[in-house]
Amino acid sequence: MSNPLLTDDEIATALKDLPEWTRTGASIARTVEAPSFLAGIELVRRVAAEAEAANHHPDMDIRWRRVTFTLSTHSEGGLTRLDVALAREIDRLAQES
């Protein structure tokens, strides 16, 4: 199933509701600082479970308590609604951690 790329205006509108996320070219990213290393690992595990269920997988970089999530729909070559939906889910999970 194809997921059309979002326009620049659609991305800008979506990012208004995702203030922790920053766009760089064809991706958006957010860094979360967890209260502990194990809390960061647990956040990664929870995001991984949600990503697997959505069949949409972020790049994740773990540096002690700091976890950076980078989203892009590689098959489409840019940002789609899948990225926005996963960013919202990551925000929800990060708030719970």
Side-chain angles (χ1 to χ4, degrees):
M1 176 168 64
S2 177
N3 290 294
L5 291 175
L6 298 175
T7 65
D8 286 339
D9 286 345
E10 289 170 325
I11 294 166
T13 298
L15 288 177
K16 287 179 184 173
D17 294 329
L18 298 165
E20 302 294 326
W21 293 83
T22 303
R23 180 181 182 190
T24 304
S27 65
I28 56 174
R30 175 187 179 184
T31 299
V32 175
E33 185 151 346
S36 68
F37 177 72
L38 288 178
I41 295 299
E42 177 61 16
L43 175 60
V44 166
R45 188 201 64 74
R46 293 175 68 204
V47 168
E50 293 294 328
E52 188 67 14
N55 193 30
H56 189 62
H57 306 92
D59 292 335
M60 296 183 274
D61 181 59
I62 306 165
R63 309 282 172 134
W64 187 44
R65 297 183 318 149
R66 295 173 58 86
V67 182
T68 301
F69 300 95
T70 303
L71 305 176
S72 183
T73 304
H74 302 294
S75 62
E76 301 299 330
L79 294 162
T80 69
R81 63 178 178 75
L82 295 174
D83 302 300
V84 173
L86 188 54
R88 287 190 178 115
E89 187 62 19
I90 290 169
D91 282 355
R92 184 184 71 77
L93 293 170
Q95 189 171 15
E96 291 177 0
S97 65

